[in-house]
Amino acid sequence: MSSQPQSEQSRSESPLWQQIQPGGIGVNPGSTDRVQTGDWRTEVPVVDFERCTHCMICWVDCPDASFEVANAKLIGVDLKHCKGCGICAQVCPVKCIEMVPDSAENRETQPSNGASSESAK
Amino acid sequence: MTLKLRDLSLKPDLFGNGHGLCAGCAEPVSVRQILSALENPPVVALATGCLEVSSTRFPDTTWKVPLIHSAFENSATTISGVEAAYKALVRKGRMEDRPLTFVVFAGDGATYDIGFQWLSGALERGHKFVYVCLNNEGYMNTGIQRSSATLLGAWTTTTPSGDARPGKPEWHKDMTKIVAAHGIPYVAQAASHNWKDLITKVRKAEQADGPAFINVLTPCDRGWRFEPEKTMEVSQLMVEAGLWPLYEVVNGKYKMTGARQKKRPVIDALLSQKRFSHITKNADDATIAGIQAKVDEEWDALQALCNMPVAAE
Ligand code: SF4
Ligand code: SF4
């Protein structure tokens, strides 16, 4: 997956021992966000927003919290984290999600907020 | 109040992304739904299991709520201590008194087997907490070993299937009924595919006056041997075949929840999972008939419990 965008913080970038909290307490809620689980993917979901009814079934059934929503509307897929399991395509009541082979080309057809959640860090 | 996904989607996710659970895993789906259902800020104790090893890889965490992990067996005891300490600190005026919900997430290994007596003790002591068992019917993160929640006939690495034995020989433990026998105010069985049913139950559990227990079926695509996109379908088949009835026990009163249950033969659910392929390859297999007979018997017993009048208060 060399064409994957690189996450700005690599997995090896762990804290120095001086920065570790006593008892190994985690102090950064939700910090696994920096882990790019999107590179597990072999297929990528493509949403046909013309037909999407914004019912949010895909959002509630995604194991990787990879649907971006705003104001109760589906706005994109977070390709930095989506593992390509295909559950969303199965559960969408209007069948407007299609799983296609993961490639740079196919990813481009997908409005993705993966990039914006990366720069949010 | 009607439950709308659009309303839920306005709330921030308390269990984030980047965790290491397998593609297609049902556990994070249910965890997100449960956390979004809670009215009060949650304080979570986590037992060792798939969820714990995958969401708390040092130094990171997927959680956005206060979380404590101690060991495999004692998450119920840990939350008991947290709840008791909070009450004591409030009593002494050292902490602000505000509604919090104490929650445990534990797998079937931690609940049915390793943490059994610890859970029983916490239920008997009457701590106010919501215990969620994420039941994937086996020790999956260590490589698919059988637990006492594993279905009869299932292949696991410790109950191999072959000429000598057809997978796991024993019927599973009925943990939900065992917990209900403790006489706690709220007990329920739910499944991953039915978010509405699960969220409704979580809200009732949160309001319960004492311990509450929810046993959620969370199909494991690696351990049950099905394609990752089928998770919700398999969960639904398990319910519709009567292998995982959805019901609740409110102050001792059994009640079925969700529509259209037990309308399929068990073979439909077994065929969806390759962990049963050694028995489903022959439709006349005696093991299938045995499972069907036992499911029918348990179903009738459950209906009888649901129809039983409870003594007026
Ligand atoms: S393919 Fe799976 S991980 Fe990706 S968006 Fe769909 S449900 Fe989520
Ligand atoms: S399930 Fe389908 S219709 Fe519903 S919000 Fe998702 S993509 Fe849109």
Side-chain angles (χ1 to χ4, degrees), chain A residues 37 41 43-47 58-59 61-67 76-79 81-91 97 99, chain B residues 23-24 29 32 228-229:
Chain A
T37 51
R41 197 172 53 227
E43 287 190 329
V44 65
V46 175
V47 182
C58 57
W59 169 82
D61 279 347
C62 172
D64 290 282
S66 291
F67 282 95
V77 184
D78 169 6
L79 294 183
H81 297 111
C82 161
K83 291 174 188 157
C85 66
I87 288 180
C88 51
Q90 292 277 322
V91 298
I97 304 179
M99 299 302 294
Chain B
V29 178
R32 287 175 61 227
E229 73 270 17

Tab-separated table of all heavy atoms in Angstrom, chain A residues 37 41 43-47 58-59 61-67 76-79 81-91 97 99, chain B residues 23-24 29 32 228-229, ligand 1:
chain	number	residue	atom	x	y	z
A	37	THR	N	-5.110	2.482	10.655
A	37	THR	CA	-5.615	1.129	10.393
A	37	THR	C	-6.148	0.991	8.967
A	37	THR	O	-6.467	-0.106	8.536
A	37	THR	CB	-6.736	0.756	11.389
A	37	THR	OG1	-7.710	1.803	11.406
A	37	THR	CG2	-6.170	0.579	12.791
A	41	ARG	N	-6.685	-2.411	4.654
A	41	ARG	CA	-7.813	-2.538	3.739
A	41	ARG	C	-7.408	-3.124	2.390
A	41	ARG	O	-6.351	-2.795	1.867
A	41	ARG	CB	-8.357	-1.120	3.534
A	41	ARG	CG	-9.721	-0.981	2.958
A	41	ARG	CD	-10.140	0.474	3.010
A	41	ARG	NE	-9.174	1.346	2.396
A	41	ARG	CZ	-8.714	2.470	2.935
A	41	ARG	NH1	-9.162	2.891	4.090
A	41	ARG	NH2	-7.807	3.192	2.316
A	43	GLU	N	-10.339	-3.578	0.196
A	43	GLU	CA	-11.451	-3.007	-0.564
A	43	GLU	C	-11.868	-1.708	0.101
A	43	GLU	O	-11.729	-1.556	1.313
A	43	GLU	CB	-12.648	-3.963	-0.592
A	43	GLU	CG	-12.424	-5.169	-1.486
A	43	GLU	CD	-13.698	-5.960	-1.693
A	43	GLU	OE1	-14.541	-5.970	-0.779
A	43	GLU	OE2	-13.838	-6.560	-2.760
A	44	VAL	N	-12.373	-0.805	-0.689
A	44	VAL	CA	-12.740	0.503	-0.141
A	44	VAL	C	-14.223	0.782	-0.425
A	44	VAL	O	-14.722	0.462	-1.495
A	44	VAL	CB	-11.803	1.602	-0.730
A	44	VAL	CG1	-11.996	1.767	-2.230
A	44	VAL	CG2	-11.985	2.923	-0.016
A	45	PRO	N	-14.946	1.310	0.565
A	45	PRO	CA	-16.353	1.627	0.322
A	45	PRO	C	-16.503	2.919	-0.473
A	45	PRO	O	-15.826	3.901	-0.179
A	45	PRO	CB	-16.930	1.794	1.740
A	45	PRO	CG	-15.770	2.185	2.589
A	45	PRO	CD	-14.536	1.624	1.961
A	46	VAL	N	-17.353	2.888	-1.472
A	46	VAL	CA	-17.656	4.100	-2.232
A	46	VAL	C	-19.148	4.394	-2.055
A	46	VAL	O	-19.991	3.560	-2.346
A	46	VAL	CB	-17.310	3.914	-3.728
A	46	VAL	CG1	-17.755	5.133	-4.529
A	46	VAL	CG2	-15.815	3.700	-3.889
A	47	VAL	N	-19.438	5.582	-1.530
A	47	VAL	CA	-20.825	5.952	-1.234
A	47	VAL	C	-21.384	6.777	-2.384
A	47	VAL	O	-20.754	7.731	-2.833
A	47	VAL	CB	-20.912	6.786	0.072
A	47	VAL	CG1	-22.364	7.131	0.390
A	47	VAL	CG2	-20.264	6.044	1.236
A	58	CYS	N	-25.244	2.860	8.400
A	58	CYS	CA	-23.830	2.526	8.189
A	58	CYS	C	-22.986	3.101	9.326
A	58	CYS	O	-22.073	2.452	9.831
A	58	CYS	CB	-23.345	3.061	6.843
A	58	CYS	SG	-23.576	4.838	6.658
A	59	TRP	N	-23.323	4.305	9.733
A	59	TRP	CA	-22.581	4.973	10.804
A	59	TRP	C	-22.662	4.173	12.105
A	59	TRP	O	-21.666	3.963	12.796
A	59	TRP	CB	-23.144	6.395	10.987
A	59	TRP	CG	-22.652	7.085	12.218
A	59	TRP	CD1	-21.477	7.744	12.366
A	59	TRP	CD2	-23.324	7.164	13.481
A	59	TRP	NE1	-21.370	8.229	13.651
A	59	TRP	CE2	-22.495	7.891	14.350
A	59	TRP	CE3	-24.551	6.695	13.958
A	59	TRP	CZ2	-22.840	8.156	15.672
A	59	TRP	CZ3	-24.900	6.959	15.271
A	59	TRP	CH2	-24.043	7.688	16.113
A	61	ASP	N	-23.284	0.993	12.489
A	61	ASP	CA	-22.790	-0.384	12.402
A	61	ASP	C	-21.319	-0.481	11.996
A	61	ASP	O	-20.793	-1.583	11.850
A	61	ASP	CB	-23.639	-1.189	11.405
A	61	ASP	CG	-24.946	-1.677	12.030
A	61	ASP	OD1	-25.074	-1.605	13.269
A	61	ASP	OD2	-25.828	-2.136	11.282
A	62	CYS	N	-20.644	0.640	11.806
A	62	CYS	CA	-19.231	0.584	11.397
A	62	CYS	C	-18.358	0.294	12.612
A	62	CYS	O	-18.374	1.040	13.587
A	62	CYS	CB	-18.799	1.897	10.758
A	62	CYS	SG	-17.012	1.958	10.462
A	63	PRO	N	-17.559	-0.792	12.575
A	63	PRO	CA	-16.718	-1.124	13.721
A	63	PRO	C	-15.616	-0.095	13.952
A	63	PRO	O	-15.030	-0.058	15.034
A	63	PRO	CB	-16.096	-2.472	13.334
A	63	PRO	CG	-16.858	-2.969	12.167
A	63	PRO	CD	-17.437	-1.774	11.478
A	64	ASP	N	-15.286	0.683	12.955
A	64	ASP	CA	-14.131	1.557	13.073
A	64	ASP	C	-14.485	3.034	13.115
A	64	ASP	O	-13.622	3.875	12.871
A	64	ASP	CB	-13.138	1.236	11.955
A	64	ASP	CG	-12.512	-0.120	12.205
A	64	ASP	OD1	-11.622	-0.181	13.052
A	64	ASP	OD2	-12.974	-1.123	11.628
A	65	ALA	N	-15.715	3.331	13.443
A	65	ALA	CA	-16.162	4.714	13.580
A	65	ALA	C	-15.680	5.552	12.400
A	65	ALA	O	-15.156	6.643	12.555
A	65	ALA	CB	-15.676	5.317	14.913
A	66	SER	N	-15.824	4.987	11.206
A	66	SER	CA	-15.203	5.598	10.029
A	66	SER	C	-16.149	6.398	9.156
A	66	SER	O	-15.779	6.789	8.054
A	66	SER	CB	-14.518	4.527	9.170
A	66	SER	OG	-13.405	4.029	9.867
A	67	PHE	N	-17.360	6.610	9.604
A	67	PHE	CA	-18.236	7.494	8.839
A	67	PHE	C	-18.224	8.874	9.462
A	67	PHE	O	-18.439	9.034	10.648
A	67	PHE	CB	-19.656	6.926	8.749
A	67	PHE	CG	-19.743	5.844	7.723
A	67	PHE	CD1	-19.620	4.517	8.088
A	67	PHE	CD2	-19.880	6.173	6.386
A	67	PHE	CE1	-19.646	3.524	7.127
A	67	PHE	CE2	-19.912	5.172	5.419
A	67	PHE	CZ	-19.796	3.849	5.784
A	76	GLY	N	-18.867	11.787	4.651
A	76	GLY	CA	-17.706	11.151	4.041
A	76	GLY	C	-17.241	9.936	4.812
A	76	GLY	O	-17.810	9.584	5.845
A	77	VAL	N	-16.194	9.289	4.281
A	77	VAL	CA	-15.626	8.122	4.937
A	77	VAL	C	-14.193	8.444	5.326
A	77	VAL	O	-13.450	9.036	4.546
A	77	VAL	CB	-15.651	6.897	3.995
A	77	VAL	CG1	-15.135	5.664	4.724
A	77	VAL	CG2	-17.054	6.641	3.477
A	78	ASP	N	-13.832	8.083	6.526
A	78	ASP	CA	-12.495	8.335	7.041
A	78	ASP	C	-11.581	7.193	6.589
A	78	ASP	O	-11.526	6.138	7.206
A	78	ASP	CB	-12.590	8.415	8.574
A	78	ASP	CG	-11.234	8.400	9.252
A	78	ASP	OD1	-10.208	8.433	8.558
A	78	ASP	OD2	-11.227	8.345	10.495
A	79	LEU	N	-10.895	7.407	5.483
A	79	LEU	CA	-10.109	6.324	4.894
A	79	LEU	C	-8.795	6.074	5.639
A	79	LEU	O	-8.095	5.110	5.368
A	79	LEU	CB	-9.837	6.600	3.412
A	79	LEU	CG	-11.093	6.595	2.543
A	79	LEU	CD1	-10.722	6.804	1.084
A	79	LEU	CD2	-11.888	5.315	2.700
A	81	HIS	N	-8.818	5.288	8.695
A	81	HIS	CA	-9.144	4.240	9.667
A	81	HIS	C	-9.999	3.097	9.131
A	81	HIS	O	-9.980	2.009	9.692
A	81	HIS	CB	-9.855	4.861	10.874
A	81	HIS	CG	-9.002	5.838	11.617
A	81	HIS	ND1	-9.255	7.188	11.615
A	81	HIS	CD2	-7.883	5.655	12.347
A	81	HIS	CE1	-8.316	7.801	12.322
A	81	HIS	NE2	-7.475	6.902	12.773
A	82	CYS	N	-10.780	3.337	8.078
A	82	CYS	CA	-11.659	2.289	7.545
A	82	CYS	C	-10.841	1.057	7.197
A	82	CYS	O	-9.862	1.138	6.462
A	82	CYS	CB	-12.381	2.798	6.293
A	82	CYS	SG	-13.058	1.481	5.264
A	83	LYS	N	-11.238	-0.116	7.747
A	83	LYS	CA	-10.500	-1.357	7.490
A	83	LYS	C	-11.066	-2.132	6.305
A	83	LYS	O	-10.615	-3.232	6.013
A	83	LYS	CB	-10.507	-2.236	8.742
A	83	LYS	CG	-9.674	-1.654	9.891
A	83	LYS	CD	-9.815	-2.462	11.171
A	83	LYS	CE	-9.123	-1.726	12.326
A	83	LYS	NZ	-9.670	-2.136	13.635
A	84	GLY	N	-12.097	-1.585	5.672
A	84	GLY	CA	-12.632	-2.222	4.465
A	84	GLY	C	-13.401	-3.497	4.722
A	84	GLY	O	-13.465	-4.378	3.858
A	85	CYS	N	-14.025	-3.604	5.907
A	85	CYS	CA	-14.706	-4.855	6.248
A	85	CYS	C	-15.924	-5.111	5.365
A	85	CYS	O	-16.285	-6.252	5.112
A	85	CYS	CB	-15.134	-4.845	7.711
A	85	CYS	SG	-16.402	-3.614	8.101
A	86	GLY	N	-16.569	-4.057	4.900
A	86	GLY	CA	-17.720	-4.241	4.011
A	86	GLY	C	-19.062	-4.319	4.718
A	86	GLY	O	-20.097	-4.499	4.068
A	87	ILE	N	-19.084	-4.185	6.033
A	87	ILE	CA	-20.357	-4.232	6.765
A	87	ILE	C	-21.295	-3.137	6.265
A	87	ILE	O	-22.474	-3.369	6.017
A	87	ILE	CB	-20.121	-4.083	8.293
A	87	ILE	CG1	-19.491	-5.356	8.848
A	87	ILE	CG2	-21.442	-3.785	9.024
A	87	ILE	CD1	-19.208	-5.307	10.345
A	88	CYS	N	-20.755	-1.924	6.062
A	88	CYS	CA	-21.602	-0.801	5.652
A	88	CYS	C	-22.339	-1.105	4.355
A	88	CYS	O	-23.528	-0.809	4.228
A	88	CYS	CB	-20.753	0.466	5.521
A	88	CYS	SG	-19.278	0.277	4.519
A	89	ALA	N	-21.637	-1.717	3.398
A	89	ALA	CA	-22.275	-2.011	2.117
A	89	ALA	C	-23.391	-3.041	2.290
A	89	ALA	O	-24.388	-3.024	1.567
A	89	ALA	CB	-21.236	-2.524	1.124
A	90	GLN	N	-23.227	-3.939	3.272
A	90	GLN	CA	-24.257	-4.958	3.519
A	90	GLN	C	-25.487	-4.369	4.195
A	90	GLN	O	-26.602	-4.795	3.927
A	90	GLN	CB	-23.686	-6.059	4.439
A	90	GLN	CG	-22.613	-6.909	3.800
A	90	GLN	CD	-23.206	-8.018	2.958
A	90	GLN	OE1	-24.215	-8.601	3.310
A	90	GLN	NE2	-22.559	-8.301	1.837
A	91	VAL	N	-25.282	-3.436	5.133
A	91	VAL	CA	-26.414	-2.985	5.944
A	91	VAL	C	-27.143	-1.773	5.349
A	91	VAL	O	-28.260	-1.483	5.754
A	91	VAL	CB	-26.005	-2.655	7.405
A	91	VAL	CG1	-25.474	-3.886	8.115
A	91	VAL	CG2	-25.003	-1.509	7.460
A	97	ILE	N	-23.821	1.882	-1.066
A	97	ILE	CA	-22.385	1.758	-0.811
A	97	ILE	C	-21.879	0.547	-1.584
A	97	ILE	O	-22.463	-0.536	-1.521
A	97	ILE	CB	-22.078	1.569	0.689
A	97	ILE	CG1	-22.678	2.710	1.509
A	97	ILE	CG2	-20.564	1.472	0.909
A	97	ILE	CD1	-22.434	2.599	3.004
A	99	MET	N	-18.396	-1.806	-2.456
A	99	MET	CA	-17.012	-2.096	-2.103
A	99	MET	C	-16.241	-2.340	-3.401
A	99	MET	O	-16.624	-3.188	-4.199
A	99	MET	CB	-16.919	-3.351	-1.208
A	99	MET	CG	-17.653	-3.257	0.118
A	99	MET	SD	-17.147	-1.889	1.190
A	99	MET	CE	-15.468	-2.324	1.612
B	23	ALA	N	-11.006	-6.362	11.316
B	23	ALA	CA	-11.997	-5.818	10.387
B	23	ALA	C	-13.265	-6.653	10.524
B	23	ALA	O	-13.210	-7.875	10.520
B	23	ALA	CB	-11.472	-5.885	8.960
B	24	GLY	N	-14.392	-5.987	10.693
B	24	GLY	CA	-15.663	-6.708	10.784
B	24	GLY	C	-16.024	-7.157	12.187
B	24	GLY	O	-17.048	-7.802	12.383
B	29	VAL	N	-18.662	-2.091	17.540
B	29	VAL	CA	-19.987	-1.611	17.127
B	29	VAL	C	-20.870	-1.501	18.364
B	29	VAL	O	-21.492	-0.457	18.625
B	29	VAL	CB	-20.618	-2.590	16.100
B	29	VAL	CG1	-21.999	-2.114	15.707
B	29	VAL	CG2	-19.725	-2.751	14.884
B	32	ARG	N	-19.633	1.247	20.958
B	32	ARG	CA	-20.011	2.619	20.564
B	32	ARG	C	-21.489	2.864	20.814
B	32	ARG	O	-21.889	3.920	21.300
B	32	ARG	CB	-19.695	2.853	19.079
B	32	ARG	CG	-18.200	2.993	18.800
B	32	ARG	CD	-17.931	3.094	17.308
B	32	ARG	NE	-18.569	4.245	16.710
B	32	ARG	CZ	-19.279	4.206	15.579
B	32	ARG	NH1	-19.452	3.066	14.933
B	32	ARG	NH2	-19.801	5.302	15.086
B	228	PRO	N	-15.878	-11.000	6.854
B	228	PRO	CA	-16.085	-9.874	7.765
B	228	PRO	C	-17.343	-9.042	7.502
B	228	PRO	O	-17.918	-8.486	8.423
B	228	PRO	CB	-14.829	-9.009	7.589
B	228	PRO	CG	-14.075	-9.592	6.452
B	228	PRO	CD	-14.531	-10.991	6.269
B	229	GLU	N	-17.797	-8.993	6.246
B	229	GLU	CA	-18.970	-8.138	5.973
B	229	GLU	C	-20.267	-8.776	6.460
B	229	GLU	O	-21.314	-8.142	6.478
B	229	GLU	CB	-19.055	-7.788	4.477
B	229	GLU	CG	-19.479	-8.910	3.559
B	229	GLU	CD	-18.307	-9.731	3.038
B	229	GLU	OE1	-17.206	-9.654	3.614
B	229	GLU	OE2	-18.500	-10.471	2.046
C	1	SF4	S1	-15.856	-0.924	5.169
C	1	SF4	FE1	-16.109	-1.421	7.371
C	1	SF4	S2	-14.616	-0.072	8.393
C	1	SF4	FE2	-14.907	0.751	6.328
C	1	SF4	S3	-16.495	2.292	6.526
C	1	SF4	FE3	-17.533	0.356	5.949
C	1	SF4	S4	-18.146	-0.591	7.904
C	1	SF4	FE4	-16.595	1.013	8.382
